[in-house]
Amino acid sequence: MTETLVDGLYREGAPILDTTAPTGPIEQRWSERTFSARLVNPANRRKLKVIIIGTGLAGASAGATLGEAGYQVTSFCYQDSPRRAHSIAAQGGINASKNYRNDGDSTYRLFYDTIKGGDFRSRESNVYRLAELSGNIIDQCVAQGVPFAREYGGLLDNRSFGGVQVSRTFYARGQTGQQLLLGAYQALERQISAGTVAMYTRHEMLELVVIDGRARGVIVRDMVTGQIETHLADAVVLATGGYSNVFFLSTNAMGCNATAIWRAHRQGALFANPCYTQIHPTCIPVSGEYQSKLTLMSESLRNDGRIWVPAAKADARDPREIPEDQRDYYLERTYPAFGNLVPRDIASRAAKKVCDEGRGVGPTGLGVYLDFADSIQRLGKETVIARYGNLFDMYQRITGEDPYEVPMRIYPAVHYTMGGLWVDYDLQSNLPGLFVVGEANFSDHGANRLGASALMQGLADGYFVLPNTINDYLAAGPYKAVDDDDPAVAQAVGTVRSRIATFLVAQGTRSVDSFHKELGQIMWEYCGMERTEEGLRHAIGRIRALRASFRADVRVLGEAEELNQSLEKAGRVADFMELAELMCIDALHRRESCGGHFRAESQTSAGEALRDDERFAYVAAWQWTGDANPPTLRKEDLHYDYVELKQRSYT
Amino acid sequence: MATTTAAARVRKARRTSVGLKLAMAITGGLFVLYVLAHMYGNLKVFSGQEAFDGYAHHLRELGEPLLPYSGFLWVMRIGLVVALVVHVWAAVSLWRRANHARSTRYVKFRPVQATWSSRTMRWGGVALLLFVIFHLLQFTTMTIQVGGSFDSPYDRVVAAFSTWYILAIYVLSMLALGMHLRHGIWSAVQTLGWSTRRREPAIKRTALVIALIIVVGFLVPPIAIFLGVLE
Amino acid sequence: MRITLNVWRQQNAQAPGRIVSYPRQDVSPEMSFLELLDVLNEDLIAQGDEPIAFDHDCREGICGQCGVMIDGVAHGPQRITTCQLHMRSFADGDTITVEPWRADPFPVIKDLVVDRRALDRIISSGGYVSVNTGSAPDAHATPLPKENADRAFEAAACIGCGACVAACPNASAMLFTAAKVTHLGELPQGQPERAARVVSMLDSHDAEGFGGCTNIGECAAVCPAGVPLDTISQLNVDLLGALSPRRPG
């Protein structure tokens, strides 16, 4: 480790290696790994406990599968039912290289598209495995009874999705995530009834228990009674999703949080690529101060809608009265080849740019028009209803405006975080016994995730990858028996209790939400769609000040030993603040633009993201070194043996 | 999941709340058929005293000589009583179940779909039960005699319905029956699983029509009597 | 807009509850109903009063976590989830009564928050296809007519919010149960366990203490996911089938 501070913010440590990834031909790596992984005798599985935090696609599928295998699984979720995890809100679909369309799809093509879509910042081995398993996921889900859309012949329907030229997306109307999650949830409930899975709802993980360098359990809070409980096991799996709520306003559910992964990070787990966030261009804009969350509108709208703003600043006329020559169809103007269908990050940045110029529309000036007038004229209203009816209804419910008459207003919103805890090919973090699956890990999407890939990754991890790798770790045991009297447990419980006490005794003047909103504004402004050296430094200073102010001035009413929603939020927001700082440091150190990370200093003359493969073709894995110490950066170099590194171009 | 035997499954299935509903639907269906037949008999009153009394007598001879005198009637009565016991027992069970399912009431509750008919099934059912007892005491056991004692059923009916309060009791009871049937018929059809979204409006309309026919069919003779059309 | 919220406050499951009135002067019609509760809570915190506890999560109508009785109707005056309801659905000067779902199988935890785990237990008793991971045939092995797939989807759209129970005069969870029975019963994968499933799920439904269905139809009328009432008819058919000892499953 270098002793000198880089940029005054972090130190650089030893590089990190993924030692579990096989190195043979890419198409053999997964079978090689499943063969080399040690197995646990079925009779011994009953004696092994696995804790799973989170019941989204990854957590529920892992819980069900490990339960079926015969392990003793203990599963936790903060919602009142495992079925409510935010995977449920995914609309579009799930990719699989089934090639049912005979349109030239293959494992290799899905692999290639995902690597390229991730802007060459993900691992080849992991992504190939993901593509390889994609077909099994569809088979499994159909067998569970997931009602995917079908054609009249009775076979599964497919549609195409952004960034690819084949039709490989399976879907269930606009509720694919819901149906897939219910499939996994039902499989989980089956194991609960079989007694292999113990389910704890309304329980929140507040600390990871590490004993002798291994993850051995968790400290959770029963959110109904406020009791602090200790659960110990042979391995811990985190499936807690992403951290978009660091921005306060995002398309995530209100309760989504980073506490589990952040507490694990503080216990030694590396946090990889925290700055990689995906901002989705088509969301319903903020309507006022009270706004609590943002709603995504499917990207498919851009197929037929035209995006524009008035050519003049602060033009407050009714959009229908603005003549053609006073409108600026800025995407069509700037990117004639792709027009309104440029990738998510480009569309998002362009919208921000025109709004920053003062040409944004709507009451807040933060919105652009998505106009269907031309399509309605060209295709007829019936066709538009058939294609987008449900989305138009949703828009109307939220805004009270009729999008068949008035152009929709849209604005980008934070949607997904590609970063997460660092894991090896086995999905194990650098802390032995701690596994991380789904959006909570960093592994497969690089710097940008393609549409319909999140569901694929969550289920691949939970159904197929983890159940075939965790056995290698468990078979190496048995690990020494631990109990609640272990000093490490006492210490973890102590940390949790004192943190809760800190929030309650502060007795300040500001609510938790007011801090969260302020944090969100800082992050959106300086660590959002466009990041600059100056802005990020400014943000780091403000976040530090905000953290200090939070400690002193937060007001949390009520008691620890009851249902206390302010207290729950206080813990989450405190963790978000620490994570926010790390995101800014990561964004600052990565002086290139790639995928969802756009550094204003690194762009082509045409204003496009400019990667710097010479200096930045690595995974930035950050190590926690203590509250008062700067983090340590450990690099994992990325190698591309099967895909050629290329610069994206959409002009 | 399926670890029980078919026999155990059938036993378990019978005990479910849907099993109770099925019992109500089937017995309710029998009542509807009976009531329609009863109404047909009542309308015989318009054919004159001889025909009406003859019909009443004929009912007692039905099935002879295979059955003894009044045998058919007794079979029917026993059948109806059993059906009634099952119907009431199931209703009470479901009622109690519903009360236990919500022991704290809403401060404010506003139904958006329920009809008056569906909301009054239980108390309406109680009212009908009381009416049936009264009706049996009046015309079967003849414990309650209004307007004198007669051998001819026709005379009994005419004397009874010439009294205003008897007419009033019957009018109210038949309206209660109509309401009970309007929801009951639809409910039975749905419980027996014959309803689909497409058929639902037609089933509900049919239930209403049958209920109306029964109300009108039962009320025409008493009103005609009261107005002096029949005497 | 001026709106008065009459909100049920209850400290915990044991404590008695009562309605507390909160007049608001500054309600924007563009706010969602839950955002009004957020704003109210911020003010309560500023005054040193405990904020109102209410369940919510995705705030886009799909997770099923939110749900309160709004003026006597589950999820309020429109057939959408509470989180999708906006204040423009009310008139200036309205007084709105807000209560938790009321059903004994849904005990109140605090204020507007109730415990709906009974619904999970119904699913746990049989609301699935018994297929282990990895044992699935190819997805195209069994074609399924589109009509069945659509019908299955319609029933599977249930979000498990519990509004059907809250609205039912009998506090029955029949629509919830029927939605799952119908979803899986429409699919070839669901056939082997069809008879056993309906019996186990109904048995669990009754054991949880939900009321019986009397076909009133309040459930489907408030269901934000649009689960149709005839799924209950289909459940009844399945139960009739299960009464036959010859039926497999």
Side-chain angles (χ1 to χ4, degrees), chain A residues 79-346:
Chain A
Q79 299 90 344
D80 80 328
S81 161
R83 67 181 292 154
R84 310 208 194 282
H86 198 58
S87 304
I88 204 150
Q91 298 172 355
I94 176 165
N95 289 331
S97 54
K98 280 280 195 187
N99 196 26
Y100 282 157
R101 298 274 129 173
N102 197 28
D103 56 2
D105 201 5
S106 63
T107 301
Y108 201 88
R109 187 178 296 281
L110 176 53
F111 155 70
Y112 176 83
D113 286 344
T114 308
I115 288 279
K116 181 180 166 219
D119 217 359
F120 303 96
R121 289 295 174 264
S122 46
R123 290 183 189 145
E124 281 188 334
S125 300
N126 284 53
V127 175
Y128 192 88
R129 174 177 66 190
L130 179 64
E132 203 177 338
L133 294 172
S134 64
N136 301 13
I137 299 171
I138 304 301
D139 298 343
Q140 182 63 29
C141 294
V142 166
Q144 287 172 343
V146 169
F148 283 119
R150 294 199 179 243
E151 295 172 327
Y152 283 99
L155 300 179
L156 295 164
D157 194 14
N158 288 121
R159 61 181 169 202
S160 51
F161 230 77
V164 294
Q165 290 160 305
V166 292
S167 261
R168 63 159 76 100
T169 305
F170 294 79
Y171 66 100
R173 292 200 200 156
Q175 285 145 263
T176 317
Q178 180 199 27
Q179 294 309 320
L180 294 174
L181 182 61
L182 292 182
Y185 155 75
Q186 287 163 203
L188 183 68
E189 286 294 338
R190 174 170 163 249
Q191 291 310 308
I192 292 171
S193 121
T196 58
V197 176
M199 181 74 228
Y200 292 81
T201 58
R202 293 195 198 267
H203 277 68
E204 183 170 31
M205 170 182 156
L206 295 180
E207 197 55 87
L208 180 73
V209 177
V210 180
I211 300 174
D212 298 340
R214 296 179 187 280
R216 295 305 301 272
V218 292
I219 309 296
V220 296
R221 179 171 177 271
D222 178 333
M223 292 155 71
V224 175
T225 63
Q227 295 302 310
I228 304 299
E229 302 168 3
T230 305
H231 293 264
L232 299 172
D234 297 284
V236 176
V237 180
L238 301 185
T240 55
Y243 48 88
S244 296
N245 271 350
V246 108
F247 292 84
F248 184 71
L249 289 179
S250 79
T251 64
N252 279 191
M254 303 296 285
C256 291
N257 67 80
T259 290
I261 54 173
W262 190 254
R263 300 323 288 182
H265 172 61
R266 289 177 56 110
Q267 294 287 342
L270 299 175
F271 205 121
N273 302 332
C275 79
Y276 289 164
T277 45
Q278 182 167 80
I279 296 185
H280 200 287
T282 50
C283 297
I284 299 175
V286 172
S287 69
E289 268 297 295
Y290 45 78
Q291 189 89 24
S292 58
K293 84 150 262 161
L294 297 170
T295 304
L296 181 82
M297 305 278 290
S298 169
E299 201 167 13
S300 61
L301 288 169
R302 288 198 281 143
N303 285 315
D304 286 307
R306 295 182 71 194
I307 294 173
W308 63 276
V309 288
K313 283 184 186 177
D315 186 341
R317 280 179 291 177
D318 182 321
R320 288 166 294 183
E321 287 165 13
I322 301 179
E324 279 295 313
D325 61 344
Q326 293 174 33
R327 298 178 176 191
D328 179 12
Y329 294 90
Y330 58 88
L331 287 178
E332 296 171 21
R333 173 169 59 77
T334 328
Y335 308 97
F338 279 74
N340 295 299
L341 288 172
V342 291
R344 289 177 177 180
D345 53 335
I346 294 180

Side-chain angles (χ1 to χ4, degrees), chain B:
Chain B
M1 171 179 71
T3 48
T4 49
T5 61
R9 184 192 77 213
V10 170
R11 271 199 307 280
K12 214 160 132 189
R14 280 204 204 107
R15 285 199 303 265
T16 61
S17 60
V18 176
L20 289 176
K21 283 170 37 158
L22 280 168
M24 288 196 76
I26 292 164
T27 52
L30 292 177
F31 289 136
V32 172
L33 294 178
Y34 169 75
V35 161
L36 283 168
H38 190 330
M39 179 185 81
Y40 170 77
N42 286 8
L43 290 171
K44 284 258 176 201
V45 80
F46 288 105
S47 310
Q49 180 158 17
E50 205 171 317
F52 187 71
D53 288 354
Y55 165 75
H57 183 68
H58 178 71
L59 282 180
R60 282 156 179 81
E61 289 178 342
L62 207 68
E64 275 187 316
L66 196 66
L67 294 172
Y69 182 76
S70 282
F72 171 77
L73 225 51
W74 277 105
V75 169
M76 192 117 116
R77 281 169 184 160
I78 292 167
L80 284 171
V81 167
V82 170
L84 186 71
V85 168
V86 171
H87 198 79
V88 171
W89 166 75
V92 169
S93 303
L94 286 167
W95 195 346
R96 287 186 42 183
R97 171 167 270 289
N99 278 340
H100 288 306
R102 182 173 292 133
S103 49
T104 312
R105 306 265 136 199
Y106 284 108
V107 174
K108 184 166 185 184
F109 181 77
R110 200 157 54 81
V112 290
Q113 177 70 28
T115 54
W116 206 36
S117 161
S118 67
R119 293 168 62 200
T120 52
M121 287 301 277
R122 287 177 184 141
W123 287 110
V126 171
L128 284 175
L129 185 63
L130 293 175
F131 165 74
V132 168
I133 293 168
F134 170 77
H135 182 62
L136 292 174
L137 289 174
Q138 187 181 12
F139 288 115
T140 306
T141 66
M142 288 173 268
T143 318
I144 299 170
Q145 296 195 341
V146 183
S149 170
F150 306 90
D151 280 340
S152 153
Y154 184 88
D155 291 339
R156 231 170 6 237
V157 167
V158 170
F161 289 118
S162 304
T163 320
W164 71 268
Y165 61 86
I166 294 293
L167 179 73
I169 289 172
Y170 275 79
V171 168
L172 289 176
S173 301
M174 287 309 107
L175 289 177
L177 177 64
M179 300 235 302
H180 202 76
L181 290 181
R182 184 194 164 187
H183 181 71
I185 293 171
W186 138 253
S187 186
V189 172
Q190 160 96 351
T191 298
L192 292 168
W194 299 328
S195 170
T196 62
R197 186 173 8 180
R198 275 228 314 279
R199 288 189 220 147
E200 187 184 315
I203 296 169
K204 286 185 167 168
R205 268 198 309 276
T206 310
L208 181 64
V209 168
I210 295 175
L212 280 174
I213 289 172
I214 288 174
V215 172
V216 172
F218 272 104
L219 286 181
V220 167
I223 289 172
I225 291 165
F226 188 75
L227 295 177
V229 179
L230 291 172
E231 50 187 49

Side-chain angles (χ1 to χ4, degrees), chain C residues 45-93:
Chain C
I45 293 170
Q47 293 161 24
D49 290 334
E50 257 202 73
I52 299 161
F54 62 96
D55 260 334
H56 62 101
D57 204 24
C58 78
R59 294 211 180 185
E60 48 188 276
I62 193 75
C63 78
Q65 175 112 347
C66 71
V68 289
M69 287 302 267
I70 299 171
D71 246 5
V73 180
H75 288 306
Q78 297 184 16
R79 197 176 149 182
I80 50 180
T81 58
T82 301
C83 63
Q84 292 175 299
L85 181 66
H86 281 69
M87 295 314 293
R88 68 179 86 89
S89 299
F90 298 93
D92 190 20

